[in-house]
Amino acid sequence: MTDGGRGSALGELVAFRQGFYDCLTARADALFELCEAVLCTDGPVRSLVGLSLAPEHRRGHGALYDAVNHGKVEIERLRTALAGVRLPRAAGGRLVMAVDVSPWLRPDGATCPDRSFCHTYGRGRNEHQMIPGWPYSIIAALETGRTSWTAPLDAQRLAPGADLAAVTTAQIRDLAQRLIAAGQWREEDPRMLFVLDAGYDAPRIAYLLRDLPVQILARMRSDRVLRRAAGEHRHNPAGGRPPKHGAEFVFKDPSTWGGEDVVTSTDTRLYGTAAVQAWDRVHPMLTRRSAWSTHEGELPIIEGTVIRLRVEHLPSGGVNKPVWLWWSGVEATADDVDRCWRMFLRRFDIEHTFRMWKQTLGWTRPQLRDPQAADRWTWLTLVAYTQLRLTRPLAEDLRRPWEKPAEPQRLTPARVRRGFRYIRTKTGSPTAAPKLTQPGPGRPTGSKNRQRATRHDVGLILATGQAHTRPTHHKKGTKPRRAG
């Protein structure tokens, strides 16, 4: 990178750090230095109090806990600052964002309010577990090519019983409007693409966001049953209303698929040959129940493109099953279909971000009681990761003796973090010097804590708005879903 490019990257990092500090309105110095300690401490973050030993954190452990529990972060202002930073783009300058939920598990936190049952995978094959915790919905911009980097833009904790589709729709809407206001999207740019995994009501989300320049791409379960377009109406002498839905499109029944509108085949390095089939103008048959029970007027027809992806083999050697995708666009070309399935595979890069947050930055390490404190710590983790991403063009490869050399643009987030302490000295710090204080007397020796914390039951309703029961698609012998 040229000196001009390094200077521009350093200026962007300095501006973001100052903008982050301006978003801290209470215990600002302690919160800012806590984020510094996360980035500069050696090795993974093992505990919250251990961060007070980092030289970059010039305040004591009491100030650290006070900042996490009683500090204040202007979240909306911070969201606006994140929307204005440089974002990765796909081919054609398209913004591609992944949406997923990651849990902060708190199974032993009986005094923690607002916990939900979070879906996790066990160690055994096809073993599903429901563990109490705080689920967080994360949106991150994706890069192209093989990488473990993403650009997290938003995080929101899901309350017990929240409607996942409604919360996700509002989250996407707010982010899209912020990106438009920040100049990240213009009229001549292609529509922003949001990629979701199974578990989201993709047609409903696409319908609620139809007034914005966004498209929805989501995976669907293999037991779904959709409908084809009704086709041209022919006069019926016997009378009656014209049909709204065409023939059934059963994912598990190839005899109902009919002729494909697009067929492509691509050779990939990891998966071998990727065979793709696509059918245009396929929609779910909605019924007046659950989310659509309060819909005014006639139920809409939400058409999209169904994509079936089948690869030659999996790198892990697992069960090779076809992947079904639903894209909110219609009249898809071969380029549209190839872009969709490639972007869906890129969606799994957000899993690398979750692993980095939890295993290295210590996102879920603190045993916090207050969910507002958990939100505060979550945003500090997100800001710390964003600073690593902005530091990426400035970092050098400080590899271990047993590690292979890597090019500067191919460094992982963990390797970039190793050199952040040295880059930080060039950015300056907006915090003030700590004041000398004396620790308080604390609780008298031998006395007991008589203010017992309130116990809270785990919400019996999941973030999906449904009661905690074993999912239908995990049971054997179930019939395909034919509605909704």
Side-chain angles (χ1 to χ4, degrees):
M1 177 180 289
T2 62
D3 293 339
R6 294 180 64 88
S8 176
L10 183 60
E12 186 177 11
L13 176 61
V14 172
F16 178 77
R17 285 164 59 85
Q18 182 62 49
F20 166 57
Y21 183 79
D22 295 338
C23 297
L24 307 177
T25 56
R27 279 78 172 182
D29 293 344
L31 286 173
F32 190 89
E33 291 189 359
L34 177 58
C35 188
E36 298 277 86
V38 171
L39 292 170
C40 297
T41 188
D42 295 330
V45 176
R46 300 297 186 186
S47 64
L48 187 61
V49 69
L51 295 175
S52 64
L53 302 178
E56 289 75 16
H57 191 275
R58 300 177 294 175
R59 289 155 176 83
H61 62 277
L64 182 148
Y65 279 108
D66 185 59
V68 174
N69 292 320
H70 304 290
K72 186 175 181 181
V73 183
E74 292 189 4
I75 302 299
E76 293 302 322
R77 187 174 179 180
L78 184 54
R79 285 186 171 119
T80 302
L82 287 168
V85 300
R86 172 176 39 88
L87 297 179
R89 295 177 182 268
R94 184 188 302 271
L95 286 172
V96 181
M97 272 77 69
V99 185
D100 203 357
V101 175
S102 184
W104 182 337
L105 300 180
R106 297 291 278 117
D108 299 328
T111 60
C112 299
D114 297 339
R115 289 184 302 163
S116 302
F117 283 105
C118 302
H119 176 268
T120 59
Y121 289 98
R123 294 183 178 273
R125 182 178 176 182
N126 295 330
E127 183 179 349
H128 304 268
Q129 298 178 353
M130 305 303 297
I131 301 179
W134 292 313
Y136 279 85
S137 176
I138 311 294
I139 301 181
L142 302 178
E143 295 189 5
T144 57
R146 298 179 59 202
T147 178
S148 58
W149 288 92
T150 63
L153 296 172
D154 193 35
Q156 184 170 343
R157 178 170 46 86
L158 302 177
D163 186 344
L164 181 59
V167 174
T168 304
T169 300
Q171 193 178 14
I172 294 176
R173 177 178 294 276
D174 293 342
L175 176 59
Q177 292 175 346
R178 288 196 299 271
L179 293 175
I180 295 173
Q184 299 279 13
W185 185 89
R186 296 179 176 85
E187 292 290 341
E188 62 274 9
D189 294 338
R191 293 193 168 201
M192 294 175 277
L193 180 63
F194 288 84
V195 188
L196 304 87
D197 202 3
Y200 291 88
D201 191 350
R204 180 188 170 200
I205 295 175
Y207 176 77
L208 296 176
L209 297 173
R210 63 190 182 280
D211 58 323
L212 292 175
V214 302
Q215 292 178 336
I216 302 298
L217 173 66
R219 180 168 69 95
M220 282 190 167
R221 301 204 308 262
S222 59
D223 63 345
R224 291 296 298 268
V225 177
L226 304 184
R227 292 297 187 109
R228 305 299 296 266
E232 184 179 357
H233 173 61
R234 297 182 180 180
H235 177 68
N236 185 2
R241 62 184 300 180
K244 292 179 56 179
H245 311 284
E248 286 188 341
F249 187 97
V250 185
F251 286 5
K252 290 186 175 181
D253 187 0
S255 62
T256 64
W257 298 350
E260 306 93 337
D261 294 299
V262 178
V263 178
T264 64
S265 180
T266 308
D267 292 331
T268 63
R269 190 183 67 86
L270 289 177
Y271 305 99
T273 302
V276 184
Q277 304 164 276
W279 294 266
D280 191 25
R281 299 190 179 279
V282 183
H283 64 273
M285 187 178 68
L286 305 180
T287 58
R288 290 195 177 276
R289 63 179 185 181
S290 63
W292 297 99
S293 59
T294 59
H295 180 79
E296 298 181 358
E298 191 175 2
L299 293 177
I301 302 295
I302 310 174
E303 293 185 327
T305 301
V306 170
I307 301 172
R308 182 179 185 268
L309 170 65
R310 185 65 183 262
V311 297
E312 187 175 356
H313 58 80
L314 297 178
S316 60
V319 180
N320 189 5
K321 297 181 179 180
V323 176
W324 291 92
L325 306 175
W326 186 88
W327 179 49
S328 60
V330 294
E331 299 181 358
T333 63
D335 293 338
D336 293 332
V337 173
D338 285 338
R339 180 178 63 252
C340 286
W341 70 263
R342 290 180 185 276
M343 286 299 100
F344 176 77
L345 295 183
R346 289 265 62 85
R347 189 207 70 85
F348 293 97
D349 292 343
I350 198 173
E351 302 293 341
H352 296 287
T353 301
F354 293 155
R355 184 161 52 249
M356 176 69 183
W357 285 15
K358 294 181 179 181
Q359 297 183 0
T360 304
L361 301 183
W363 173 34
T364 58
R365 284 289 181 176
Q367 302 296 312
L368 301 177
R369 177 185 300 173
D370 188 7
Q372 282 71 34
D375 296 343
R376 212 168 287 123
W377 175 250
T378 299
W379 278 100
L380 288 182
T381 306
L382 191 151
V383 169
Y385 185 89
T386 302
Q387 292 189 57
L388 288 181
R389 188 173 65 85
L390 297 179
T391 310
R392 184 179 174 187
L394 308 171
E396 297 181 0
D397 186 14
L398 303 179
R399 64 185 182 90
R400 303 287 188 255
W402 55 86
E403 294 175 341
K404 295 181 179 179
E407 299 179 1
Q409 292 300 320
R410 300 293 299 174
L411 296 178
T412 62
R415 287 204 188 186
V416 172
R417 179 172 174 262
R418 294 174 188 170
F420 185 84
R421 171 173 287 169
Y422 310 106
I423 299 174
R424 169 187 171 274
T425 59
K426 303 178 183 179
T427 63
S429 176
T431 59
K435 299 179 181 180
L436 296 178
T437 59
Q438 294 294 331
R443 186 186 306 152
T445 304
S447 63
K448 296 183 179 181
N449 182 12
R450 301 184 182 278
Q451 297 179 356
R452 296 181 60 85
T454 305
R455 263 50 178 177
H456 300 273
D457 294 333
V458 183
L460 299 181
I461 305 297
L462 300 178
T464 57
Q466 298 178 357
H468 175 28
T469 57
R470 183 169 176 81
T472 304
H473 60 286
H474 294 167
K475 302 177 182 178
K476 296 182 179 180
T478 56
K479 297 182 179 179
R481 290 185 57 191
R482 297 184 176 271

